[in-house]
Amino acid sequence: MLAAEFQAMGEMTPEQLVRLADTIPQVSEEIYEHYRALRELLKKRLSRIRQLCRQEDVKILFPDPEDRRRLAYALEKACAMQVVLPEKYEELAQVLSQ
């Protein structure tokens, strides 16, 4: 299933996180188990990135500006979908966008 495919990726690249963030709105809420699993997976992956960014400079963790832009996009989309709390993640998205 779709959620299992994303989970099998393990640590995700910024591009994979964008794909996950873009996939969630495409999944019907009628298939709630899949929808919920995708949201939880995105939340966990972004939480891990937030934790890492609190310990290390984002430009060291993600030296490629395009990767930082992708992560910012995934964070902003997750905030808009209320997958993660904007109060916790918007600042990181702004830092990644710079």
Side-chain angles (χ1 to χ4, degrees), residues 30-47:
E30 293 173 6
I31 316 171
Y32 186 75
E33 298 82 25
H34 297 288
Y35 178 79
R36 183 73 179 157
L38 291 170
R39 288 176 58 94
E40 283 301 312
L41 181 59
L42 181 59
K43 183 177 179 177
K44 285 179 185 178
R45 296 298 189 263
L46 293 177
S47 176

Side-chain angles (χ1 to χ4, degrees), residues 6 12-22 66-67 70-71:
F6 279 109
M12 299 174 126
T13 66
E15 187 174 346
Q16 291 168 326
L17 284 167
V18 166
R19 286 185 192 150
L20 176 56
D22 285 342
E66 188 63 22
D67 282 346
R70 287 181 182 124
L71 285 172

Side-chain angles (χ1 to χ4, degrees), residues 7-92:
Q7 286 177 337
M9 292 178 183
E11 290 294 320
M12 299 174 126
T13 66
E15 187 174 346
Q16 291 168 326
L17 284 167
V18 166
R19 286 185 192 150
L20 176 56
D22 285 342
T23 298
I24 292 171
Q26 306 295 325
V27 176
S28 172
E29 289 187 45
E30 293 173 6
I31 316 171
Y32 186 75
E33 298 82 25
H34 297 288
Y35 178 79
R36 183 73 179 157
L38 291 170
R39 288 176 58 94
E40 283 301 312
L41 181 59
L42 181 59
K43 183 177 179 177
K44 285 179 185 178
R45 296 298 189 263
L46 293 177
S47 176
R48 175 78 175 129
I49 288 172
R50 181 174 177 260
Q51 179 184 24
L52 290 172
C53 289
R54 291 174 70 168
Q55 297 169 358
E56 188 75 52
D57 184 76
V58 294
K59 290 184 179 180
I60 293 172
L61 288 170
F62 304 102
D64 182 358
E66 188 63 22
D67 282 346
R68 290 194 302 272
R69 188 193 63 75
R70 287 181 182 124
L71 285 172
Y73 172 85
L75 283 164
E76 290 165 357
K77 188 139 190 177
C79 287
M81 292 185 295
Q82 298 180 338
V83 172
V84 296
L85 294 173
E87 306 86 58
K88 287 184 168 184
Y89 290 86
E90 282 178 337
E91 183 179 337
L92 178 57

